[in-house]
Amino acid sequence: MVSPPRPFSRRSLAFRVSLIVVCVEVVIFFLVGLLYLQIHDRQMEKELGQRIRAVTRLVSSGALAYDALGDKDLVGRLVGKGFEEAMVVGFTGIIFNATDPSLVGRDIRSVPSLDPEWFTQARNGGFTHTIKHDGRHEIIAVFPVLNAADGAAFVYTFLRVDKSRVSQQSHEFFLVLLLGSALGGIVTSLALLVSFRRLVFSRLRQNMAVMERLTGGDLSARIPLLSPIRRDELGWMAHGFNEMAESMESNVTRLKQEVENRTQAEAALSRAKAELEERVERRTMDLDRSNRELKREIEERKAAEAAMRESHKRLQGILDHSPSAISLVNSDGRFIMANLHFMLLFAAGRTDIAGLSRAEVYGQENAQVLSVLEDQALAERKPMADEESFTVEGEVRTYMTTAFPLFNEYGAAFAACAIRTDVSDRKRLEAESLRAGQLASLGELAAGVAHEINNPLNGIVNYAEIIHDELADGPCHDLAAKIIHEGERVSRIVAKLLAFSRSRSEQFEPVQVREVVDDALQLLEGGVNRGRVAVDIQVDDTLPRIRARAHEIRQVLLNILNNALHAVTHGQTPRPDPLIRIEARTALHNSEAFVDISITDNGYGIPESAMNRILSPFFSLKPHNEGTGLGLSITHAIVKGHGGRLDIASKEHEYTRVTVSIPIYGDTSFS
């Protein structure tokens, strides 16, 4: 066991308390001394300044002659302890009188210890200033001496005082005070030590002896107590210690009982542990069996999910390779899935449309059209089929759509599947076939009418020739000539109709360009004359013949000329000088020889927005009842069938130029 510290040893509490008291007293006295020195120095400087100013006032009032400043003893008595020197300096810097006779008559600029700037500053009323000279702190004072008569300054007084000599007395007092405080602290500490030993330390040793008995196991040991009236802090501490010892003794008794109870509880716990381990072992075996079954189920589910993903991937592949647009929409009108063709058609640029509404995918206008069959299939719970026409990239397309509902396990229709197949080309071919049939019927009708007209027309012309021959003179002669001329013109038109309606040869043959141009113009002669349209034909008869079927090229030119005639004679502002120009020239396209036939009109032109649809079937710029929209599409098909090309150039409100390029027949060459 560690022994208690001896009295007055460095480990004892009495020694530490005494040392703290001594240190605190020394610090307090030291700080008080420093404060005293600062206050004393300020007071000393203040009094010294007052004495210096008093000397200057005595000189200014005449009570003290300025010559008296040369008397060092006199000035020393007036200024006090620390006086060094005094002098009188004129405004020119010459020293008139001084305590040091060697300085009299010298210029202040020649004295190293004097700064001429001091005397310049003193003109404004004088000053006192502390400087450091030869390692000492000195106070200098420079004041002007005023004339008693007019108050004008005529000389300066200069005084120098050694500040360190003035404050030496204060420092000596401070040292005496510091030594006295240290001596008082030591005496106080000794008194504290003696008192502490009698009043504190003996009782602490008694308390420590009781504590040793407690640590040795004697829980009945107690500290003797004084009466409550005489009880001090140590007495109350001993009282609290005794209460703690009593509590400890009762706690130890209770702990012994608890230990005995815990021993019995541990025995019961051991039995319960053995039973629990047995139950855990059985449960572990059950869990192991369940884990194996769960693992098998997970593997089976993973295999099923993999098969489902593979099946879905295969189904999606089948759907993506379908030429039809296939989509699945729920009962709220939002998409569930779609195949690749549908995405390219309606959602190009998107990767997924699941959750999107019809308006977000189709657009607001198309959504109203494309939702009808799907909603009907959901409402009537049966498949629905019909044609749908809607706009795709600015072009009206026709789709054959089949929509049918999908049912969940409860029999409720939760989605509609729509399969859309593009039938626009088939519809166009049907329309072209219908048009071809109509043209064939029209040709047969024209042939029949031509035959019926031809016989009476021959009779009219023959009778007119008889009248013309018999009536050589008179007005009837001229009328007969006109009848013959018009009859022959009608006969030529009938011949053209017959030629147009004859059986068509599918073989290409050499065709003279000027002839087919004239034939087409002759069929439109009436419309040209009624519209007062100027026709400028620049087609040379010497052009090479083209490889074509004449009746089809005639139909091509007739369609283009008919559109040009309509452009210059109709519209909101018909041209005052309508013109159609027909030009033909040879050209090379991809190193092959062609004849380019250009038909230009100065009509209302084609809007730029319609240029990419102008060759589409059923698209027309004419009013609703004036065109079928098939003319240019049929023309384009005929030209492509001839191995040629069709080019259209137009500027709205200015012109339209259609150029038909047909290959030259045979080995014809040109330079």
Side-chain angles (χ1 to χ4, degrees):
M1 179 181 293
V2 179
S3 61
R6 298 191 309 275
F8 307 111
S9 67
R10 286 185 297 175
R11 291 174 52 203
S12 67
L13 182 61
F15 177 80
R16 295 178 183 179
V17 171
S18 300
L19 181 61
I20 292 173
V21 170
V22 171
C23 292
V24 170
E25 287 181 350
V26 171
V27 170
I28 291 174
F29 279 113
F30 180 76
L31 293 177
V32 170
L34 289 179
L35 181 61
Y36 166 77
L37 285 179
Q38 291 180 359
I39 295 174
H40 183 271
D41 287 346
R42 291 195 192 99
Q43 187 65 26
M44 179 271 298
E45 289 183 7
K46 183 177 178 181
E47 292 178 358
L48 187 60
Q50 290 175 353
R51 288 197 216 98
I52 292 172
R53 288 185 179 87
V55 172
T56 304
R57 284 194 297 271
L58 290 174
V59 175
S60 297
S61 64
L64 180 67
Y66 68 83
D67 293 340
L69 294 180
D71 188 348
K72 188 172 184 180
D73 294 334
L74 175 62
V75 179
R77 287 194 299 274
L78 292 174
V79 175
K81 191 175 181 179
F83 170 72
E84 287 288 327
E85 64 176 341
M87 63 181 68
V88 177
V89 181
F91 272 21
T92 59
I94 302 301
I95 300 173
F96 293 154
N97 199 358
T99 54
D100 185 1
S102 63
L103 298 177
V104 177
R106 294 179 59 182
D107 193 310
I108 58 175
R109 299 176 185 83
S110 63
V111 180
S113 61
L114 298 178
D115 187 353
E117 186 64 27
W118 297 341
F119 298 89
T120 302
Q121 295 177 7
R123 290 183 181 181
N124 297 326
F127 69 91
T128 59
H129 189 57
T130 300
I131 65 171
K132 190 173 184 180
H133 181 253
D134 293 337
R136 299 177 302 171
H137 290 281
E138 297 178 344
I139 298 175
I140 62 169
V142 183
F143 288 92
V145 178
L146 306 179
N147 194 332
D150 55 5
F154 61 95
V155 292
Y156 297 105
T157 60
F158 174 81
L159 298 173
R160 186 194 305 269
V161 179
D162 186 357
K163 185 178 178 181
S164 59
R165 290 174 58 191
V166 175
S167 59
Q168 181 177 3
Q169 183 178 358
S170 300
H171 293 167
E172 292 173 354
F173 175 76
F174 174 69
L175 291 175
V176 172
L177 181 64
L178 186 61
L179 290 174
S181 63
L183 181 60
I186 293 171
V187 172
T188 303
S189 299
L190 291 174
L192 284 173
L193 286 172
V194 173
S195 302
F196 200 86
R197 180 180 181 185
R198 290 189 60 188
L199 298 176
V200 178
F201 190 73
S202 60
R203 294 167 66 184
L204 288 177
R205 288 180 64 85
Q206 186 180 24
N207 295 347
M208 292 178 63
V210 174
M211 292 175 64
E212 289 178 359
R213 289 173 59 191
L214 285 174
T215 56
D218 185 6
L219 297 180
S220 62
R222 300 291 185 270
I223 299 175
L225 298 177
L226 299 174
S227 63
I229 298 176
R230 298 176 57 193
R231 192 175 296 170
D232 55 8
E233 288 84 354
L234 290 177
W236 284 107
M237 183 180 71
H239 177 71
F241 182 83
N242 289 342
E243 290 182 349
M244 182 184 69
E246 292 175 358
S247 175
M248 185 183 302
E249 185 177 8
S250 63
N251 289 337
V252 168
T253 304
R254 187 175 65 255
L255 284 174
K256 288 180 178 179
Q257 184 63 38
E258 289 181 357
V259 167
E260 184 179 355
N261 295 338
R262 182 166 295 183
T263 302
Q264 297 175 0
E266 287 179 353
L269 185 62
S270 298
R271 292 192 299 272
K273 180 181 178 182
E275 294 177 0
L276 181 61
E277 287 178 350
E278 183 180 357
R279 294 172 62 185
V280 167
E281 185 176 359
R282 290 198 302 267
R283 184 59 178 167
T284 302
M285 294 174 62
D286 294 340
L287 288 176
D288 186 54
R289 184 169 56 256
S290 299
N291 286 337
R292 288 196 299 270
E293 293 177 357
L294 181 61
K295 184 177 180 181
R296 185 177 65 256
E297 291 178 1
I298 291 173
E299 292 176 352
E300 292 175 354
R301 179 167 294 184
K302 286 183 177 179
E305 289 176 353
M308 185 178 294
R309 286 194 297 270
E310 183 64 26
S311 176
H312 181 271
K313 183 177 179 181
R314 189 179 300 111
L315 176 60
Q316 187 67 41
I318 294 172
L319 294 178
D320 288 343
H321 284 82
S322 172
S324 300
I326 303 174
S327 62
L328 195 62
V329 182
N330 63 18
S331 57
D332 294 329
R334 295 193 175 273
F335 284 90
I336 299 175
M337 62 164 291
N339 71 341
L340 179 61
H341 188 79
F342 182 93
M343 297 292 289
L344 294 176
L345 182 63
F346 294 107
R350 294 180 184 269
T351 58
D352 189 16
I353 60 172
L356 299 181
S357 65
R358 294 187 180 110
E360 291 175 311
V361 176
Y362 296 139
Q364 193 63 43
E365 183 178 350
N366 286 341
Q368 297 177 356
V369 176
L370 300 177
S371 62
V372 174
L373 283 179
E374 296 170 350
D375 292 343
Q376 285 182 354
L378 286 172
E380 300 183 17
R381 299 170 60 87
K382 64 180 182 179
M384 307 296 292
D386 200 355
E387 288 185 356
E388 294 177 331
S389 294
F390 49 89
T391 303
V392 179
E393 296 181 352
E395 180 182 357
V396 177
R397 306 288 294 179
T398 301
Y399 280 76
M400 185 63 195
T401 302
T402 300
F404 54 90
L406 299 179
F407 303 97
N408 58 20
E409 63 270 21
Y410 304 107
F414 69 92
C417 180
I419 302 175
R420 293 180 172 89
T421 304
D422 191 352
V423 295
S424 301
D425 294 337
R426 190 184 73 188
K427 298 288 288 185
R428 178 179 59 79
L429 292 175
E430 290 176 356
E432 290 181 359
S433 177
L434 178 61
R435 176 69 172 173
Q438 291 174 345
L439 291 175
S441 299
L442 182 61
E444 293 176 0
L445 178 61
V449 172
H451 280 294
E452 293 297 327
I453 292 175
N454 202 30
N455 291 330
L457 182 61
N458 288 333
I460 292 171
V461 172
N462 290 334
Y463 287 123
E465 288 178 348
I466 292 172
I467 294 172
H468 182 269
D469 292 340
E470 289 183 355
L471 301 176
D473 297 323
C476 292
H477 180 80
D478 295 334
L479 288 174
K482 291 180 180 180
I483 291 172
I484 294 170
H485 175 72
E486 294 300 326
E488 290 176 348
R489 189 169 70 84
V490 172
S491 180
R492 288 195 299 272
I493 292 174
V494 170
K496 298 297 183 182
L497 287 174
L498 288 172
F500 189 77
S501 62
R502 290 191 189 104
S503 59
R504 307 311 195 225
S505 172
E506 297 301 324
Q507 298 296 324
F508 291 112
E509 52 190 18
V511 176
Q512 180 61 256
V513 176
R514 182 59 187 256
E515 288 182 2
V516 292
V517 170
D518 290 341
D519 291 345
L521 277 175
Q522 193 166 10
L523 293 175
L524 294 175
E525 185 176 358
V528 170
N529 292 334
R530 285 192 301 274
R532 300 181 181 276
V533 179
V535 179
D536 181 13
I537 304 175
Q538 299 181 15
V539 181
D540 196 344
D541 293 337
T542 61
L543 282 172
R545 297 190 176 192
I546 58 176
R547 177 177 173 272
R549 289 186 283 268
H551 64 278
E552 291 185 349
I553 298 301
R554 193 181 297 115
Q555 181 181 355
V556 166
L557 297 179
L558 186 62
N559 288 341
I560 298 173
L561 287 170
N562 189 41
N563 288 341
L565 182 61
H566 185 277
V568 297
T569 58
H570 294 73
Q572 295 179 352
T573 55
R575 294 291 186 182
D577 52 347
L579 172 65
I580 297 177
R581 179 178 290 109
I582 305 173
E583 301 172 291
R585 63 179 63 86
T586 55
L588 281 176
H589 298 297
N590 297 327
S591 302
E592 294 185 13
F594 286 78
V595 172
D596 290 350
I597 306 171
S598 298
I599 300 174
T600 307
D601 66 77
N602 62 347
Y604 48 76
I606 303 172
E608 185 176 355
S609 59
M611 286 297 292
N612 60 342
R613 295 184 291 159
I614 197 66
L615 297 178
S616 300
F618 307 108
F619 178 79
S620 176
L621 293 175
K622 297 177 183 178
H624 180 67
N625 295 325
E626 296 186 21
T628 63
L630 293 172
L632 282 179
S633 62
I634 294 174
T635 297
H636 186 222
I638 293 174
V639 172
K640 286 180 64 178
H642 281 70
R645 52 190 291 177
L646 181 68
D647 297 314
I648 301 175
S650 180
K651 188 172 184 181
E652 193 172 5
H653 306 303
E654 291 190 15
Y655 73 91
T656 299
R657 180 182 300 110
V658 182
T659 302
V660 178
S661 301
I662 304 297
I664 292 176
Y665 183 82
D667 296 330
T668 306
S669 62
F670 57 91
S671 59

